Amino acid sequence: MAGRFAPSPTGPLHLGSLLVATASYLEARQRGVPWRLRIDDLDAPRAVPGAAADIMASLETHGLLWDGEVDYQSDHIDAYEHALERLGELGHLFYCTCSRRQLRSGQPYPGTCRGHRAARADAAIRLVVEPEPIHFVDAVQGQQQFYPANESGDFIVRRRDLIIAYQLAAAADDGAPEIDHVVRGADLLDNTPRQLYLMRLLGLVPPEYAHVRLVTFADGSKLSKQTGAAGVDSQTAGANLTAVLKMLNCAPPPDAIGWSCAEILRWAGEHWNITSVPSHAAVIERN
Ligand code: GLU
Ligand code: ZN
């Protein structure tokens, strides 16, 4: 059994991703299972050179030491293609040639290309989503019910540029027998039903989920490079950890000022309770 932290190499670790990494780390430590690091590097056009190394260096400075080798999604493409083949054999896939202009963003896919079952070049591959509810219990967000047919509709599993979509890659990786729990940001909560749907079709056993609070600016925007969020400063690692632990409702005692990251994390590991993490966003000031 294991947990994992799965950053995309699109920029440095900022306070929001440090919060997710810390929560994920503490949950795995408390369960006494390995904590894996997976780099979600399939979307090569969005990858920033050096970002993966940067994220790893930040994790290490904060004492968030992962177990075993770093796992790169780009090393699993054969497994994803194999999963695609199985879905195709089961009759769940079709080739979509709709242009972005034909599709209304925020609306479920209208089913236009459902009849295109034979392979075509220059087409995305979509999954037929049957009208069924998906239920799961999230350790932070509580009982969830989704209806993917009306939300995403038939979603993309391989893009037109042949890149495996996040939903399929995440379902295959998080459905692996070793992964028994997933801690990630609440921005991904509505992706989970699509991944559960895929896991069901692929006969994979889903992990337990906890979608922890986001860190946002006062205007509600998520921390990211686009919104001007800085990477965490490695000079203030202990203070950064203390700040995210406060947001996780696991604030170290006042005399923790001066503790090393390892000491802070050891203390937090003894006081950690994922169910007391707030579900709503933590708001910080832009600096
Ligand atoms: N790599 C994606 C992200 O950083 C997914 C993370 C996940 O599934 O935990 O948003
Ligand atoms: Zn289409």
Side-chain angles (χ1 to χ4, degrees):
M1 300 296 117
R4 94 296 187 277
F5 175 55
S8 301
T10 49
L13 199 72
H14 51 64
L15 206 66
S17 39
L18 179 67
L19 179 144
V20 172
T22 304
S24 165
Y25 172 90
L26 291 173
E27 183 62 18
R29 282 291 168 268
Q30 193 172 65
R31 289 170 180 243
V33 302
W35 186 58
R36 306 289 181 205
L37 177 62
R38 183 181 91 205
I39 303 292
D40 286 359
D41 59 350
L42 293 180
D43 195 349
R46 280 188 59 223
V48 172
D54 219 52
I55 291 169
M56 289 183 233
S58 288
L59 290 172
E60 283 173 335
T61 327
H62 288 82
L64 298 167
L65 306 178
W66 58 93
D67 297 297
E69 299 281 303
V70 180
D71 192 22
Y72 292 87
Q73 283 197 321
S74 55
D75 289 338
H76 303 180
I77 293 184
D78 286 352
Y80 308 140
E81 291 288 347
H82 185 74
L84 263 184
E85 240 165 75
R86 282 199 42 209
L87 294 168
E89 285 160 11
L90 295 167
H92 298 302
L93 302 182
F94 64 92
Y95 290 81
C96 172
T97 50
C98 296
S99 65
R100 190 161 296 167
R101 210 160 38 83
Q102 276 171 281
L103 301 172
R104 283 198 276 158
S105 84
Q107 298 282 96
Y109 179 73
T112 323
C113 303
R114 268 196 173 190
H116 300 170
R117 298 298 173 127
R120 329 186 154 205
D122 203 32
I125 302 181
R126 286 183 186 269
L127 182 81
V128 175
V129 176
E130 304 292 351
E132 294 161 22
I134 297 277
H135 301 273
F136 62 100
V137 179
D138 188 276
V140 172
Q141 307 290 333
Q143 175 73 46
Q144 302 295 313
Q145 180 173 323
F146 287 88
Y147 206 74
N150 291 354
E151 290 146 6
S152 59
D154 302 337
F155 58 88
I156 291 180
V157 286
R158 194 180 75 187
R159 296 173 3 185
R160 191 184 291 253
D161 59 8
L162 306 183
I163 292 177
I164 299 289
Y166 162 65
Q167 307 300 346
L168 178 60
D173 289 341
D174 294 336
E178 193 197 27
I179 302 298
D180 66 337
H181 69 284
V182 163
V183 176
R184 60 185 173 192
D187 54 332
L188 294 167
L189 184 67
D190 67 355
N191 288 248
T192 303
R194 279 171 277 173
Q195 294 167 21
L196 288 171
Y197 189 90
L198 276 167
M199 288 179 200
R200 190 155 80 193
L201 293 178
L202 292 166
L204 303 173
V205 179
E208 293 172 47
Y209 287 98
H211 289 82
V212 295
R213 71 191 311 191
L214 296 181
V215 181
T216 67
F217 293 120
D219 63 0
S221 61
K222 240 179 45 173
L223 270 60
S224 70
K225 244 189 14 204
Q226 291 80 350
T227 59
V232 284
D233 181 356
S234 62
Q235 300 300 312
T236 57
N240 303 339
L241 265 188
T242 302
V244 298
L245 285 167
K246 275 187 192 152
M247 295 179 196
L248 290 166
N249 207 7
C250 189
D255 54 316
I257 294 177
W259 290 4
S260 70
C261 287
E263 287 166 325
I264 296 172
L265 288 171
R266 194 170 328 117
W267 181 92
E270 284 159 17
H271 295 82
W272 179 244
N273 181 359
I274 189 103
T275 62
S276 58
V277 174
S279 55
H280 59 279
V283 176
I284 60 163
E285 274 174 37
R286 226 177 263 269
N287 46 10

